Amino acid sequence: MKRNVILKVLTIFTMMLAIIGSFSTSPAEAAPSNYKFDFGNGEVEKGYIGVSANDKYDVKKRYGFNTPENMINVPASGASLGSDAVEFLKFGTKSDNTFNVDLPNGLYEVKVTLGDTARASVVAEGVYQVINMTGNNATDSFQIPVTDGQLNLLITEGKVGTRFTLSALEIDKLSHHPETNRTIYIGGDSTVCNYYPLDSSIQAGWGQLLPKFVDPETFQVKNMASGGQIARGFLYDGQMEAILKYIKPRDYFILQLGINDTNPKNTTTEAQFKEYMREMVQQVKAKGATPILSTPQGRATDFNTEGVHSSVNRWYRNSIIALAQEENVPLVDLNVLSSAYFTSIGPAASLALYMNGDTLHPNRAGATVLARIVAEELKRQGLDGFTGEDKKNQ
């Protein structure tokens, strides 16, 4: 009797060990959560995985190009990682010519380094992730949730006729939960967008500098603004689609357009502009997030003979203000707020905040001033996460 009991106990113990073993996956079998890829056919940087244009996706390797016949290896003018790249011959937000990487579901930080290109955008999961990276070896990063076990990424059109290249890719897992951290999304034009290198560009948009005045423990900032943009284009050409894919309750969306909409070549009436803007505001509201409208700042030379800066009748400002009231959303009247600042420092100091020979586009110092004004106003209105202080230089 005792022997039978002992045998049963041993049998149960053996079965338990087998079950426990079935849940244990060896490191060789586990899908990695972090990768560093060096693209092209040159020497592979230490610590990186070399990927050539003809490397087709392999389920055993867990990475590769979906259609390598649409890829070529190309040289690049940078050093080490930036000395070579792959070029995407087929592209577009819905293209299947992607670089695929198997990943456990979760939230990832993806860092992209381009090869030689004048202007290119990054697409992943069928939508824009980074808009208009400019210059050779430009680098940027973004958060992305992976929910289907695979990241699908490509470099696509930022400007017609330029090359769309990729030199390096770094992927790091941030969380097991496939949802972005709280995010401030930004929509706008060339006075708002990013310029590269991000940390040292001479020209800058205020959206590029806004992270200086945002608590990084509360928000990440995702600037989807682009040069020359109008409300109709932002709404229908992919930027708004990308925001709506990820925006969620407790996120913010700051939208500033109007400068290019008033250009006759864009054939946008003020009434049409207002309705395009309204549609974006309502789409964000429907996601449970908070839309914020901003009016564009004026030109450096908008001073009257008494030394007062004013541009209150420019760029469909009145329709932006009316829309904010009608939709009951926060408004940053950057037009008036920046004019008050420019008046306080005078014409010469104001002009010094703009690019040389350009009275519309701010330089890095000017973009920093505008970003601080935006953050201070939103903090004053009680929106959380805005410091009004340069956190990166403290």
Side-chain angles (χ1 to χ4, degrees), residues 93 110 112 121-133 140-145 151-154 156 180 185 194 196 222-224 238-239 242 245-246:
T93 57
V110 177
V112 175
S121 297
V122 181
V123 166
E125 307 312 299
V127 297
Y128 288 116
Q129 302 293 335
V130 183
I131 296 291
N132 288 357
M133 295 173 68
D140 207 340
S141 59
F142 58 91
Q143 285 185 9
I144 186 167
L151 176 69
N152 312 110
L153 180 143
L154 61 88
T156 191
T180 56
Y185 295 91
N194 289 345
Y196 295 81
K222 189 158 187 174
N223 190 5
M224 299 297 287
Q239 285 152 288
K245 183 178 177 72
Y246 299 113

Side-chain angles (χ1 to χ4, degrees), residues 367-380:
T368 302
V369 166
L370 295 172
R372 177 179 55 77
I373 292 173
V374 170
E376 286 178 344
E377 175 61 13
L378 291 173
K379 181 182 180 182
R380 186 192 68 78

Side-chain angles (χ1 to χ4, degrees), residues 86-377:
V86 291
E87 181 176 349
F88 290 77
L89 301 180
K90 182 181 176 184
F91 44 84
T93 57
K94 309 308 176 188
S95 172
D96 64 355
N97 186 35
T98 54
F99 180 68
N100 302 335
V101 185
D102 292 344
L103 295 168
N105 290 350
L107 179 65
Y108 290 83
E109 181 87 2
V110 177
K111 180 180 179 182
V112 175
T113 301
L114 302 185
D116 288 359
T117 182
R119 189 184 304 167
S121 297
V122 181
V123 166
E125 307 312 299
V127 297
Y128 288 116
Q129 302 293 335
V130 183
I131 296 291
N132 288 357
M133 295 173 68
T134 51
N136 297 340
N137 296 129
T139 299
D140 207 340
S141 59
F142 58 91
Q143 285 185 9
I144 186 167
V146 172
T147 59
D148 60 359
Q150 190 177 77
L151 176 69
N152 312 110
L153 180 143
L154 61 88
I155 309 302
T156 191
E157 186 173 304
K159 182 179 181 181
V160 176
T162 61
R163 301 166 71 185
F164 310 122
T165 61
L166 177 63
S167 277
L169 183 66
E170 298 180 21
I171 303 169
D172 293 299
K173 192 170 187 178
L174 300 177
S175 169
H176 293 293
H177 303 291
E179 182 177 88
T180 56
N181 297 336
R182 284 189 73 189
T183 304
I184 300 170
Y185 295 91
I186 303 174
D189 53 36
S190 57
T191 65
V192 184
C193 70
N194 289 345
Y195 295 84
Y196 295 81
L198 288 172
D199 293 333
S200 60
S201 63
I202 297 172
Q203 184 172 353
W206 66 253
Q208 177 180 345
L209 276 298
L210 189 66
K212 284 176 168 284
F213 306 99
V214 170
D215 183 355
E217 298 299 318
T218 305
F219 282 107
Q220 66 155 341
V221 177
K222 189 158 187 174
N223 190 5
M224 299 297 287
S226 59
Q229 190 55 281
I230 60 176
R232 181 177 65 245
F234 198 92
L235 175 59
Y236 294 130
D237 293 345
Q239 285 152 288
M240 198 64 200
E241 176 193 18
I243 291 169
L244 293 173
K245 183 178 177 72
Y246 299 113
I247 199 166
K248 59 193 179 300
R250 302 180 72 227
D251 285 351
Y252 297 149
F253 173 46
I254 307 175
L255 180 60
Q256 178 185 299
L257 290 164
I259 293 177
N260 299 299
D261 298 83
T262 60
N263 191 320
K265 73 177 184 179
N266 289 317
T267 64
T268 303
T269 67
E270 188 163 2
Q272 289 172 327
F273 167 78
K274 186 178 179 182
E275 292 312 305
Y276 292 138
M277 297 287 279
R278 187 191 305 278
E279 185 169 350
M280 289 186 276
V281 166
Q282 292 180 346
Q283 287 176 338
V284 169
K285 279 184 173 181
K287 292 286 188 175
T290 301
I292 300 165
L293 292 174
S294 175
T295 60
Q297 89 281 355
R299 292 183 178 274
T301 50
D302 286 336
F303 282 87
N304 63 20
T305 55
E306 286 76 38
V308 175
H309 189 281
S310 178
S311 58
V312 292
N313 294 319
R314 272 215 176 104
W315 298 319
Y316 295 159
R317 170 181 172 268
N318 293 330
S319 288
I320 297 170
I321 293 172
L323 179 61
Q325 293 171 343
E326 292 165 13
E327 293 292 333
N328 192 28
V329 299
L331 170 73
V332 177
D333 197 353
L334 183 58
N335 183 287
V336 168
L337 293 170
S338 62
S339 282
Y341 179 80
F342 295 148
T343 297
S344 73
I345 64 175
S350 296
L351 190 61
L353 296 176
Y354 287 76
M355 296 295 291
N356 289 336
D358 184 343
T359 64
L360 178 60
H361 297 97
N363 57 28
R364 194 173 193 86
T368 302
V369 166
L370 295 172
R372 177 179 55 77
I373 292 173
V374 170
E376 286 178 344
E377 175 61 13

